[in-house]
Structures are given as C-alpha cells and as structure tokens.
Amino acid sequence: MKLQLRLSLIAVMAMCLVTQVKGQQNAGRKEVGMYIHQHWSYNYPYAARTWSLDDWRGYLDGIHKLGFNSILIWPMLEIMPNPLTPSDEANLQKIAKVIDMAHADYDMRVTIVFCPNVSPKSEEGRKYTFEKRPFFHTDERVDPGDPVAFGKLMAWREELFRPLAKADGMSIIDSDPGGYPNSTNMEFVYLLQAHRKMLDRLRKGIQVDYWANFGWQSYGHFYATGELKRGEPSEIMDAINLLSRQRMEPWGVGSGYGPGIADSLGMGNRVITYNYGAIEGEPSFPFTLYGGDRAYNGGKNGGQRGTMGNAQTHCIQLPNTFAFARGAQGKPVTTADYITFANDLIPGQGKLIVESWEALQGEDVAKMNSCIKRLGALKPGSLKSGPLEGLLFRNPARFVNDLVLQLRVVSTMHELKTALNGTPQQAAVKKKLSAFINATETWQGAHGYSNHWYWPAMQETLAKLKSKQLDATLATLTWVSDEGETAFDKVKNGMARLEDYTPRLIKSMKVALQEMENQQP
C-alpha cells in the first residue's frame, strides 16, 4: 500500500513537472493568434455565438494545423443578465470546456476579452437567448469614477468569470464598445487594477492585457462630443507608463498601434500586436476576402510576444486566415500555396475554389458567372472534406453554395452599375436592380447578418437611383445618430440603429424598385 502511494505521488510530481516545463516553453514562444469574436447575432455557422462544442473542436483543429497557437475569445459576458438565463449558463459552460480543449488537445493559449465598463440591462437582456441577444439594446456604460456603480459591475463580473478562470489571460479594450465621456487614463488604470484584483481572487497568474485600440481618453472624447479621432501614440504610452507603476503582474499590451509602441519605454517584450482588420474588418457584411498583402503582413508584423488576427465570419474568411498564418510563420503565400490549401479543404477542387476567390474580388462578370456555373455543377453528395474539414464545419456543400451566393451578389451589383452608367434605360435598370435585390436577399437570408454594410461601389451605385427612401437609409450608415439629448446618447443610439442597417437597406431597395415599376414607361 505504501509503495502504491509512493508511486502515485511520484507520478503526480512528474505530471506537475511536465506541466511546469510545458508552461515555461509556451511562455517563451511567439503567439500566432485568432480572435474569435461573438458580438454580432446571426445564423449558424457564420456567427461564432452559434457554434457547438464540436464546431469549436473542428475550428481549433483547423487553425492549429495552419500554425495558430493562441485564441482570443469574446464570450459577451458584458450583456449577460443578472440572474443568468439558461442559455447564458449553457454558453459559460461551453466556453469553459473550450478553454480546457484548447489547452489539452491543441496546446493553445486562451485569453478572454472584456469591455472595460459595459454592464447589462438585465431586464431587457432576459428577453433574449444568448444566441439572439442584440448588444447595443441590452448594454449600459458604467462611470468608472462612480465607486458604487463600478463596484456592482465588478461583483457581477467576478461571478461571470469564475467558470472561465482556467484562461491564461484577460484582454481589456480601451474603446469600442467601452468608454465614458471625458474619462482619464488614470481612471482606466484604476479599472484595470480592479480586474487584476478580481483575477487574483479567482486564480493567481492570469495575465491582464491592456488592449490599446483607440485610446481610452480619445474614445471618452468621442462619447463627450460625437467627434471620432484616434488617440496619438503618446496617449497609449502614457497609459502604459501608468500601468508600469502599479503592482499588476502579470500584465502586457495588446497593441493596435504596431509592434513598437512600448519599445522606447523598454517594455517591448510585453507587446503582442492586434492587427485588427488584417483578415476581416468588423462589423462587416460577410464576403470572402482574398489576395493582396494585408492579411499576410498582418501575420508578419508582430510584436515580441507575437501577433493576433481577427475574423467576424470565420467559416468564409479562409484564404485570409491562411495568409495570416503564413505571414506569421515567415512562409510564402503564392497562388500554388492557396491551391494546396484549398485542396486540403475539398480535395480536387482547389483550383476552382481559388479561381472563385479571385473572381469575387474583381469586376469581371463573365468570370464570376463561369465560376458560378462550374461550382453549381458540383454534386453536393459527391463533395468530400479534406484534412482541414473543421474549417468547413464539416459541410463542404455549404461552403461551395456560399461561394455561389456571394458571386451572384457581386456579379449582379456590377451589372446594375453598368446599367446605370451613361444613358441608363429604365427597363434594363429595373431588371438589374431586381436581380441584385434577389441575390442580396438570398445571401443575407443564409447568413442572417443585419448590421453595418460598407461597400463603396454599392453605395455609389444605389445613390444613382435617386430614391428618397433609399437615400435616407444610405445616410444612416453612421456611428452617430441625431437622436439624444447628449453626444453620449447620440453615439449609443447611432450604434444601436446600425444593428438592423442591412435589412433596412434591402427593404429600401425594394421600395426603389417599386417606385420604378409605378412610373409611366
């Protein structure tokens, strides 16, 4: 019995030693990270909110094979009501399992995002499940200078984060959607310190990262005036300096200001670059992006700790995800590399997939229609997934159909644009507008995303229709509304108004078409 106990103790000590050594190795490696963003509520599998645990496993397996070793998750704790709904409890349990899975199965570092001072409107939030809850209708901003209100916020946050306390870090952003009118860097550092104390109570060693995105004080100026201007690097360095004087270890910087933001302060080793938008902008209408060097350079230009990319609609942003990983690892990314990657998605279809990605970025309608025809000829039942099937959410037919739907939107928009150029013929314009509306409505109906949609070529084309309602809808593509007594209210109302911009735009296009139908020939 004593021998068995002694052997058990030795085994436990050995496991602890292996874990310690592994942790030390991971602490020294450069991160290649993916931000898995859950802000926007839309359909499965496009929005990360909708993923099952098996979907998470497939996606992590796919990006791990590409070379990613770190994930950043925003689990939307800020708008979870008190008390929690069953769907919120289920999501917390799921994210806790994702953390365990990422650690045990893929040796990945996991960081959780928190917006600095966002609190739930609990009564409003309980009207929705976690998967369907709109952010900007169920949130409030807490004044970090109000000790009572901020104390209540932190108490609720501690309860929410408790199931996620195995995470390696917490990243706290200095701006959208956090912030408060005219708040100072000193208040922001106080806010970070409050989170440091909270984490120490839950588990020692969780790192706090200051996510330098826009500048806390500059975003506070936006809330106070409605004038949006990004903070100068000096503002960020002031905040880093203030942080360095606190007892905050372990802490770091997630820099949106490039890898060198802390070099002159002697703190460059604390920096991981958050090259936001390198893979996909956010919020953005779902379209696959391909080509150019933005994603590749986003991966390549990392801080001393590494680099973090982001996507909003992960299941369609595969070429840029691949390019980002290649850049981070110093590997080339040629057309041949993309074809090899696409063949690992759907064997035998790599060349057609890459040609479709290329066509989607251009204005060659004939090329788009050729790709649509060839993709449409593929029989869904015959499509087999390759070793990267997790990136397809194990549904190659859905992936191919998504490409077809996107190509139809882009091709019909350019046909409408051509019809409106020169001396437009009303019959031709009506036909092309109807086709564009149908293609857009079909693709939007598939993914369900409803927010901000910025596509200059489309907006310029639609403006030529001279429809009063359509023009009014196009004018609402702004972060600041006219409604509200203060600039703070106008900013909040503007963000809330954008949450249904895309359906309103489609509805207004239909009105414009009906107006044309009603006109005398």
Side-chain angles (χ1 to χ4, degrees):
M1 190 69 176
K2 288 182 179 180
L3 179 60
Q4 289 179 339
L5 179 60
R6 188 175 299 159
L7 290 173
S8 297
L9 288 172
I10 291 171
V12 170
M13 291 173 66
M15 288 177 64
C16 290
L17 181 59
V18 168
T19 301
Q20 183 179 359
V21 171
K22 188 176 182 181
Q24 290 170 350
Q25 290 173 341
N26 291 350
R29 72 183 181 185
K30 279 201 170 187
E31 291 183 47
V32 182
M34 174 62 77
Y35 182 20
I36 301 176
H37 186 290
Q38 298 188 88
H39 185 126
W40 313 107
S41 171
Y42 49 120
N43 296 344
Y44 174 83
Y46 308 95
R49 283 201 210 185
T50 66
W51 295 355
S52 69
L53 189 62
D54 188 55
D55 293 325
W56 276 94
R57 181 179 298 281
Y59 185 73
L60 294 186
D61 181 73
I63 62 173
H64 179 255
K65 286 174 179 173
L66 295 183
F68 288 87
N69 58 28
S70 174
I71 54 172
L72 181 67
I73 306 173
W74 186 13
M76 306 297 292
L77 303 182
E78 296 85 350
I79 56 172
M80 288 186 175
N82 185 4
L84 294 172
T85 69
S87 65
D88 291 301
E89 291 179 353
N91 189 66
L92 279 174
Q93 293 171 9
K94 179 171 63 180
I95 298 301
K97 292 176 181 177
V98 169
I99 293 170
D100 288 341
M101 178 198 306
H103 285 159
D105 298 343
Y106 302 107
D107 193 21
M108 284 184 166
R109 179 179 174 82
V110 183
T111 303
I112 302 296
V113 171
F114 243 135
C115 297
N117 62 322
V118 178
S119 178
K121 290 181 180 176
S122 292
E123 185 175 346
E124 187 67 21
R126 277 194 292 272
K127 297 177 182 177
Y128 305 90
T129 64
F130 169 80
E131 290 77 13
K132 296 295 184 182
R133 186 175 296 129
F135 189 95
F136 289 118
H137 293 273
T138 59
D139 71 308
E140 293 183 311
R141 304 290 179 277
V142 174
D143 182 354
D146 181 339
V148 174
F150 191 70
K152 290 180 180 178
L153 171 69
M154 292 305 301
W156 181 230
R157 288 191 162 196
E158 187 163 343
E159 291 303 308
L160 290 172
F161 198 78
R162 191 177 303 278
L164 311 181
K166 290 184 182 178
D168 302 284
M170 175 187 287
S171 187
I172 302 175
I173 195 168
D174 64 7
S175 47
D176 180 24
Y180 203 79
N182 296 320
S183 186
T184 66
N185 272 346
M186 186 62 75
E187 287 182 330
F188 183 62
V189 170
Y190 161 75
L191 182 154
L192 292 177
Q193 202 167 42
H195 285 82
R196 168 77 279 155
K197 292 177 180 177
M198 177 193 86
L199 294 176
D200 287 344
R201 288 192 294 270
L202 294 174
R203 183 177 70 80
K204 295 284 188 181
I206 303 174
Q207 180 161 307
V208 173
D209 277 339
Y210 157 37
W211 182 347
N213 178 58
F214 213 91
W216 174 260
Q217 292 182 165
S218 291
Y219 215 69
H221 179 75
F222 174 47
Y223 275 134
T225 66
E227 297 172 357
L228 184 61
K229 183 179 179 183
R230 196 176 192 214
E232 296 294 331
S234 58
E235 179 183 333
I236 306 304
M237 288 190 283
D238 175 63
I240 295 173
N241 251 326
L242 288 171
L243 274 173
S244 70
R245 299 172 192 166
Q246 317 305 314
R247 295 179 179 177
M248 289 279 293
E249 297 293 354
W251 67 274
V253 178
S255 173
Y257 282 76
I261 189 65
D263 287 355
S264 64
L265 304 174
M267 302 180 202
N269 62 338
R270 295 184 182 270
V271 173
I272 177 173
T273 54
Y274 285 179
N275 289 318
Y276 213 79
I279 295 173
E280 179 183 24
E282 176 278 315
S284 60
F285 188 83
F287 274 128
T288 300
L289 302 175
Y290 169 86
D293 58 8
R294 184 177 177 86
Y296 184 85
N297 287 337
K300 180 180 178 182
N301 297 328
Q304 291 185 39
R305 281 175 50 204
T307 184
M308 183 72 63
N310 69 287
Q312 176 189 295
T313 309
H314 296 79
C315 65
I316 69 166
Q317 293 304 347
L318 301 186
N320 269 2
T321 298
F322 173 69
F324 187 93
R326 300 287 283 189
Q329 298 168 88
K331 297 179 179 179
V333 59
T334 65
T335 301
D337 294 319
Y338 280 115
I339 292 173
T340 298
F341 166 61
N343 274 320
D344 284 342
L345 296 171
I346 304 178
Q349 303 303 328
K351 190 171 184 295
L352 174 56
I353 290 170
V354 171
E355 287 178 3
S356 300
W357 285 339
E358 290 174 344
L360 191 58
Q361 317 308 310
E363 300 183 13
D364 188 336
V365 173
K367 185 176 181 180
M368 293 181 212
N369 289 338
S370 173
C371 289
I372 289 171
K373 183 177 180 180
R374 292 157 63 199
L375 289 167
L378 299 176
K379 296 180 179 180
S382 68
L383 294 172
K384 304 298 181 184
S385 301
L388 296 177
E389 66 174 355
L391 298 180
L392 301 179
F393 292 75
R394 299 183 175 87
N395 190 343
R398 188 271 313 159
F399 172 80
V400 168
N401 188 58
D402 284 354
L403 271 178
V404 170
L405 297 183
Q406 292 175 75
L407 285 163
R408 284 179 180 154
V409 173
V410 178
S411 65
T412 54
M413 196 286 291
H414 284 294
E415 288 182 332
L416 174 61
K417 180 181 177 181
T418 299
L420 282 164
N421 286 339
T423 305
Q425 300 295 315
Q426 189 180 48
V429 171
K430 283 194 297 185
K431 181 179 179 181
K432 300 305 182 184
L433 176 58
S434 178
F436 177 57
I437 292 171
N438 289 337
T440 299
E441 193 166 37
T442 301
W443 175 227
Q444 195 274 337
H447 58 69
Y449 170 84
S450 63
N451 202 272
H452 176 284
W453 184 6
Y454 179 66
W455 186 9
M458 176 186 69
Q459 268 104 25
E460 292 167 8
T461 298
L462 295 178
K464 292 180 180 180
L465 295 171
K466 305 297 183 184
S467 166
K468 186 176 181 180
Q469 180 170 322
L470 182 54
D471 288 345
T473 301
L474 292 170
T476 63
L477 191 65
T478 63
W479 302 111
V480 184
S481 77
D482 295 327
E483 299 178 1
E485 295 182 2
T486 67
F488 188 35
D489 294 332
K490 291 177 180 179
V491 171
K492 290 177 66 179
N493 291 335
M495 290 180 173
R497 183 179 62 183
L498 278 175
E499 294 212 284
D500 67 347
Y501 175 82
T502 293
R504 287 190 289 110
L505 181 63
I506 294 171
K507 182 178 179 180
S508 295
M509 285 193 286
K510 289 182 176 179
V511 170
L513 178 62
Q514 188 61 52
E515 290 170 348
M516 296 179 71
E517 298 281 0
N518 294 338
Q519 289 177 2
Q520 293 294 329

